[in-house]
Amino acid sequence: MQLHAFSRPVVRACLAAAVATAGLLGTGLAPGARAAADNPYERGPEPTVSSIEAPRGSYAVSQTTVPALGVSGFGGGTVYYPTSTSDGTFGAVVISPGFTAYQSSIAWLGPRLASQGFVVFTIDTLTTLDQPASRGRQLLAALDYLTKSSSVRGRIDASRLGVMGHSMGGGGTLEAAKSRTSLKAAIPLTGWNLDTTWPELRTPTLVVGADGDTVAPVASHSEPFYESLPGSLDKAYLELNNATHFTPNSSNTTIAKYSISWLKRFIDNDTRYEQFLCPLPRPSLTIEEYRGNCPHTS
């Protein structure tokens, strides 16, 4: 009969667990799934390594051209967006090319990211020689156009926006995030900027460098960018292995995988993607180094 001396609290605990589980099952949710289902910004099916490495995600994508003559503050571009209207609005990302380059140099990111559940705007700059500060302003002008005037503005949640860019466009990404702290995510790709300190940033930032970059060597660009970001900020540094400054100009699974995960985690607040960012990815055939703070706080 010694069992009766401790059985009541144990029984109560077991009953409580059973009731909680039954409640979840009654809603069609497995234990632990309620938190994810309560996120109104979650888009797309449960992610897997295969789904974030795939050339296309679950959404069919349409695109529309934005002529330079029809906008001000940037050079026009191409908008890629999920064709579906059944999932409500989506977060949006604007992407800038680098020095002397056009939107065609980063066009592969448009449909790849959009098919995962984002509206993506790859832009041309006012001139191909524009410096990072100018590219930062142009990224913001493009975001404003996208959310206020574009034909797809009704598909976008204007409170969930991010910026990306290659080379000087990557430097412009940092400039844009510095100017507009409400941005949810920033990803400079082999970024170039003479300003290497960014303690003002409040936007979760994934800095992507390349071990073989001789145009914007990581030691004088990407690494100082990352190290200067506030310690309290959600941040990461991904250094690509066996890569060059121009690696982001071609379809790249590693760039896509971690960009998708970062954008999903911080633009959509989708913690299902935390598993791909924390624990920190280890060095591999495609990753020279990965640094970051885990677990993420925002």
Side-chain angles (χ1 to χ4, degrees), residues 229-235 293 297:
L229 295 171
S232 59
L233 185 68
D234 285 315
K235 61 179 182 175
N293 56 339
T297 58

Short mmCIF file of all heavy atoms in Angstrom, two decimals, residues 229-235 293 297:
data_model
loop_
_atom_site.label_atom_id
_atom_site.label_comp_id
_atom_site.label_asym_id
_atom_site.label_seq_id
_atom_site.Cartn_x
_atom_site.Cartn_y
_atom_site.Cartn_z
N LEU A 229 28.75 43.88 -35.81
CA LEU A 229 27.33 43.86 -35.49
C LEU A 229 27.15 43.69 -33.98
O LEU A 229 27.96 43.04 -33.32
CB LEU A 229 26.62 42.72 -36.23
CG LEU A 229 26.59 42.82 -37.75
CD1 LEU A 229 26.05 41.52 -38.36
CD2 LEU A 229 25.75 44.01 -38.21
N PRO A 230 26.10 44.28 -33.41
CA PRO A 230 25.90 44.18 -31.95
C PRO A 230 25.85 42.72 -31.49
O PRO A 230 25.29 41.85 -32.17
CB PRO A 230 24.55 44.86 -31.74
CG PRO A 230 24.36 45.75 -32.91
CD PRO A 230 25.03 45.07 -34.06
N GLY A 231 26.42 42.47 -30.33
CA GLY A 231 26.42 41.11 -29.80
C GLY A 231 25.03 40.60 -29.48
O GLY A 231 24.80 39.39 -29.47
N SER A 232 24.11 41.52 -29.21
CA SER A 232 22.74 41.14 -28.87
C SER A 232 21.89 40.86 -30.10
O SER A 232 20.76 40.38 -29.98
CB SER A 232 22.09 42.26 -28.06
OG SER A 232 22.08 43.47 -28.81
N LEU A 233 22.42 41.15 -31.29
CA LEU A 233 21.65 40.99 -32.53
C LEU A 233 21.67 39.55 -33.00
O LEU A 233 22.69 38.85 -32.89
CB LEU A 233 22.27 41.89 -33.62
CG LEU A 233 21.54 41.96 -34.97
CD1 LEU A 233 20.20 42.66 -34.82
CD2 LEU A 233 22.41 42.68 -35.99
N ASP A 234 20.55 39.08 -33.56
CA ASP A 234 20.57 37.79 -34.24
C ASP A 234 21.39 37.96 -35.52
O ASP A 234 21.03 38.73 -36.41
CB ASP A 234 19.14 37.36 -34.58
CG ASP A 234 18.39 36.87 -33.36
OD1 ASP A 234 18.97 36.10 -32.58
OD2 ASP A 234 17.23 37.26 -33.18
N LYS A 235 22.50 37.25 -35.59
CA LYS A 235 23.44 37.45 -36.70
C LYS A 235 24.15 36.14 -37.00
O LYS A 235 24.24 35.25 -36.15
CB LYS A 235 24.45 38.53 -36.37
CG LYS A 235 25.32 38.22 -35.15
CD LYS A 235 26.33 39.33 -34.88
CE LYS A 235 27.23 39.01 -33.69
NZ LYS A 235 28.28 40.04 -33.50
N ASN A 293 25.01 33.39 -33.40
CA ASN A 293 24.52 33.27 -32.03
C ASN A 293 23.28 32.39 -32.04
O ASN A 293 22.35 32.60 -32.80
CB ASN A 293 24.23 34.65 -31.43
CG ASN A 293 23.25 35.46 -32.25
OD1 ASN A 293 23.07 35.20 -33.45
ND2 ASN A 293 22.60 36.43 -31.64
N THR A 297 16.91 34.94 -30.77
CA THR A 297 16.06 35.55 -29.75
C THR A 297 14.80 36.21 -30.28
O THR A 297 13.84 36.37 -29.55
CB THR A 297 16.86 36.60 -28.96
OG1 THR A 297 17.36 37.60 -29.88
CG2 THR A 297 18.04 35.95 -28.26
#
